[in-house]
Amino acid sequence: MLKKHPLIKPLICFVLGALSTLSLVPYSIYPFIICFSFAIFLIFESKKRKELILASWAFSFGWFFLGLYWIGSAFLVKSDFFYYLLPLAITLVPMFLSFIWVMAFFISDELGKLYGNKFIWFVIVFSIIEFVRGYFVEFPWLMPGYIFASNGYFLQSFSFIGSYSMNTVFIAITIIPILILLNRQKYIQIILFLCLPIICLFFISFWRYETKNKISFIKDYGVTLVQPNISQKDKWKKSLRKYHHANLLELSVDKKNLHDYKGRLIIWPETGFLGTYPKDTRLLEKLSEKILDINRNEYIFTGVINIKKNKYYNSALLLDSKKQILKIYNKKFLVPFGEYIPFKSIFSGISPISNFVNFSKPKNNPEFKINNEINFLPLICYEIIFNKYISNKITPTTSLIINITNDAWFGKTIGPFQHLQFARIRSVEYGIPVVRVANTGISAFFNSYGDKILEIQLGERGVKSSYILKKLDTTIFKRFGNVSFIVVLIYICLINTFILTTRKS
């Protein structure tokens, strides 16, 4: 019969995984969270290990495939050779990530047969697996806890317990309906133990947002976001470089939305300046002369290709109105196939790969300071997704996070929206305003509560300015970091211990 066909359940689980992604940005349709719950229930109803593994992999693949399909857009920008890598890019990455989630389902099911409850074990094991994926594998993209970041009230929870703990909260919420369905009376105490902390967390998050401090600014100092909206296919054409720089110049001197700033920080996107440093320093200086007022405290912060001792760096530099290059930042986390070819030497005989220049990683980076009130942490592209890196780099005086990027690689897909969301989460986790400037994508300025003060939308050419916002003194997450994650896990483990002791009694 059709119902007994071995591929029916995996197919249903794949669809549920795909539908679950609609609860994430840019859709943020929360009712689709129930698809996640239904899939967990179906997977753990499997009678055989093989059935469980296949169903959990199908569900996971549906989640990652539909959530990360936009990665393939970058391969359409490169040479013809990279077209052939497109199918691999959009399938191999989701497949690999799916196997990580399969481990969570399999281990939880095995432990549930021996100790405690498999659904509670899933909360614990899945949370640990996601922590490993984000912290050690360094791919925290598409974590389920990010679902809460699209709502201003739920978003405040990140300031208390951070991103990894929000995964635990999410999975706990998804299993509560399952426990109710299976046996409400048997699991009533467990349901209460799970619900009460979550209700308290969301209550104090609601209270934090409702009683937030009035937005305050660093007096008389402004920031200008410049989004030139240059197509990636046209970006590096030498014949168009003069036009692209003229575009940046025109936007940077646009005064229709400027206030009477005594000082200003103008931010161009990743590789906004289309020359190389130090070779084209004079060209950069000529551009700055037309933008920066030598009698005012003005700066340009721009992305640039930095060549040093025959090594290439994806960098950003800070230039003042006296044409002095004050600081240079080199990107630490590089994008595979975008900034380097993994195992390039193996494919040295293939001309598109052999001609590809790998970027290098820096040993260290300097602090960026404009004055006593403005000390900022620069991040390039997807460095904004690594809160472990940010936690190590933030100092007590850091007052601003600046993330420059180039989302033109991904066109008008869901990718730029997901990328933007990381900037919003970081602003709340650390209580520090975040400026995000894209070549094209979505440029925005978030205050310490994740409110969007400025925005230049996807695919738009534009410029926006605002006074620089003040940071909060601190947040619980900024103070304790991922200690909160350990505390949350210990609490869930205590619930499982309670189940085990009541079973034996």
Side-chain angles (χ1 to χ4, degrees):
M1 292 178 65
L2 188 62
K3 287 185 179 181
K4 292 185 179 180
H5 194 284
L7 294 181
I8 292 297
K9 180 184 280 191
L11 180 61
I12 293 172
C13 288
F14 173 83
V15 172
L16 290 172
L19 290 176
S20 296
T21 62
L22 296 178
S23 58
L24 296 164
V25 293
Y27 314 108
S28 302
I29 308 172
Y30 280 170
F32 279 100
I33 293 174
I34 197 66
C35 294
F36 215 106
S37 293
F38 188 37
I40 292 172
F41 175 76
L42 281 181
I43 291 166
F44 281 121
E45 282 291 295
S46 302
K47 303 300 182 184
K48 298 179 180 179
R49 290 173 178 169
K50 183 179 177 181
E51 182 184 351
L52 180 138
I53 290 171
L54 188 58
S56 59
W57 184 87
F59 166 70
S60 306
F61 186 72
W63 171 270
F64 287 113
F65 182 75
L66 268 293
L68 295 174
Y69 76 88
W70 50 269
I71 291 176
S73 301
F75 290 82
L76 298 175
V77 178
K78 285 285 186 180
S79 64
D80 292 342
F81 170 78
F82 284 87
Y83 295 163
Y84 298 106
L85 295 177
L86 174 59
L88 295 177
I90 62 175
T91 55
L92 289 184
V93 173
M95 285 173 67
F96 170 73
L97 297 173
S98 298
F99 284 119
I100 295 177
W101 276 21
V102 167
M103 286 193 293
F105 282 98
F106 180 78
I107 294 170
S108 302
D109 188 62
E110 294 298 309
L111 289 172
K113 294 173 182 176
L114 303 172
Y115 312 103
N117 180 281
K118 60 186 174 183
F119 295 105
I120 302 298
W121 271 119
F122 184 67
V123 177
I124 298 168
V125 176
F126 184 87
S127 299
I128 295 172
I129 288 286
E130 283 297 87
F131 179 81
V132 170
R133 177 167 77 91
Y135 197 90
F136 295 106
V137 181
E138 295 183 345
F139 197 88
W141 221 286
L142 222 65
M143 291 198 302
Y146 291 150
I147 284 171
F148 300 111
S150 59
N151 178 277
Y153 292 100
F154 291 147
L155 177 64
Q156 307 311 309
S157 302
F158 290 81
S159 71
F160 299 108
I161 60 175
S163 301
Y164 295 116
S165 298
M166 290 306 292
N167 286 326
T168 311
V169 171
F170 174 82
I171 296 300
I173 289 173
T174 60
I175 70 160
I176 288 171
I178 300 173
L179 296 177
I180 293 173
L181 178 67
L182 291 176
N183 193 324
R184 187 187 310 174
Q185 291 182 339
K186 180 181 178 181
Y187 294 118
I188 187 66
Q189 290 176 303
I190 301 169
I191 293 168
L192 288 174
F193 286 148
L194 289 174
C195 284
L196 287 176
I198 294 173
I199 292 170
C200 290
L201 175 65
F202 288 155
F203 176 79
I204 60 174
S205 298
F206 180 88
W207 175 82
R208 182 181 194 263
Y209 195 62
E210 282 293 306
T211 60
K212 63 185 177 183
N213 298 327
K214 186 178 178 181
I215 296 174
S216 57
F217 301 90
I218 295 176
K219 190 177 180 182
D220 297 330
Y221 215 97
V223 62
T224 296
L225 288 60
V226 177
Q227 180 167 295
N229 193 34
I230 299 170
S231 165
Q232 190 60 34
K233 290 183 178 180
D234 296 332
K235 185 175 175 70
W236 293 103
K237 291 180 180 178
K238 290 184 178 180
S239 60
L240 296 176
R241 186 170 78 166
K242 186 179 291 186
Y243 168 78
H244 295 328
H245 283 160
N247 183 17
L248 286 165
L249 177 62
E250 181 184 349
L251 291 169
S252 300
V253 298
D254 185 355
K255 297 184 178 179
K256 64 183 178 183
N257 64 352
L258 288 182
H259 302 277
D260 186 22
Y261 302 124
K262 290 184 179 178
R264 184 162 69 117
L265 175 60
I266 300 167
I267 305 175
W268 292 354
E270 179 183 8
T271 58
F273 176 65
L274 295 170
T276 59
Y277 176 81
K279 178 185 174 184
D280 296 309
T281 302
R282 183 56 190 150
L283 175 59
L284 180 60
E285 289 174 349
K286 285 182 178 180
L287 287 171
S288 71
E289 286 174 358
K290 298 175 182 179
I291 298 170
L292 304 179
D293 187 342
I294 195 170
N295 298 314
R296 297 173 63 143
N297 190 19
E298 295 189 337
Y299 301 83
I300 291 176
F301 182 71
T302 179
V304 65
I305 302 298
N306 178 19
I307 305 175
K308 185 178 180 181
K309 296 180 180 179
N310 294 323
K311 288 187 176 182
Y312 285 72
Y313 297 92
N314 186 355
S315 305
L317 56 81
L318 182 65
L319 178 73
D320 68 9
S321 52
K322 297 177 182 178
K323 298 186 291 187
Q324 294 177 316
I325 294 174
L326 303 178
K327 301 282 185 180
I328 298 175
Y329 173 87
N330 297 315
K331 185 180 179 185
K332 180 177 176 63
F333 292 91
L334 303 177
V335 180
F337 299 103
E339 292 166 323
Y340 74 99
I341 300 290
F343 311 109
K344 179 183 173 183
S345 59
I346 298 175
F347 307 100
S348 57
I350 303 174
S351 59
I353 290 181
S354 61
N355 296 332
F356 191 96
V357 177
N358 275 358
F359 282 84
S360 300
K361 294 183 179 182
K363 292 182 179 179
N364 50 56
N365 277 305
E367 292 186 6
F368 281 68
K369 184 176 181 179
I370 289 178
N371 56 38
N372 291 334
E373 290 187 282
I374 305 172
N375 186 323
F376 68 89
L377 173 66
L379 301 168
I380 298 177
C381 192
Y382 81 152
E383 288 182 322
I384 192 69
I385 76 176
F386 302 109
N387 67 9
K388 71 170 183 179
Y389 176 67
I390 297 171
S391 294
N392 291 333
K393 293 297 179 181
I394 279 180
T395 69
T397 59
T398 302
S399 59
L400 186 67
I401 296 173
I402 296 178
N403 176 217
I404 57 173
T405 188
N406 178 22
D407 281 349
W409 290 98
F410 308 113
K412 293 185 177 180
T413 64
I414 62 176
F417 292 94
Q418 292 180 9
H419 201 180
L420 176 72
Q421 189 180 50
F422 283 103
R424 191 182 189 197
I425 292 171
R426 298 293 95 90
S427 69
V428 175
E429 282 182 334
Y430 297 100
I432 298 175
V434 175
V435 178
R436 182 180 192 270
V437 177
N439 164 38
T440 188
I442 308 170
S443 297
F445 187 15
F446 295 103
N447 69 8
S448 300
Y449 296 95
D451 294 322
K452 201 180 293 178
I453 305 302
L454 298 175
E455 181 182 25
I456 306 172
Q457 294 183 358
L458 178 63
E460 285 189 1
R461 172 184 179 270
V463 56
K464 293 284 181 72
S465 296
S466 167
Y467 287 108
I468 292 181
L469 303 166
K470 288 186 177 180
K471 67 172 182 175
L472 300 180
D473 291 335
T474 191
T475 64
I476 291 176
F477 177 77
K478 182 183 176 183
R479 183 178 297 174
F480 298 104
N482 288 314
V483 171
S484 59
F485 176 67
I486 297 171
V487 172
V488 170
L489 277 186
I490 291 172
Y491 179 78
I492 303 297
C493 287
L494 290 174
I495 293 176
N496 218 17
T497 303
F498 171 79
I499 295 172
L500 183 60
T501 54
T502 53
R503 265 189 187 180
K504 290 181 177 180
S505 60

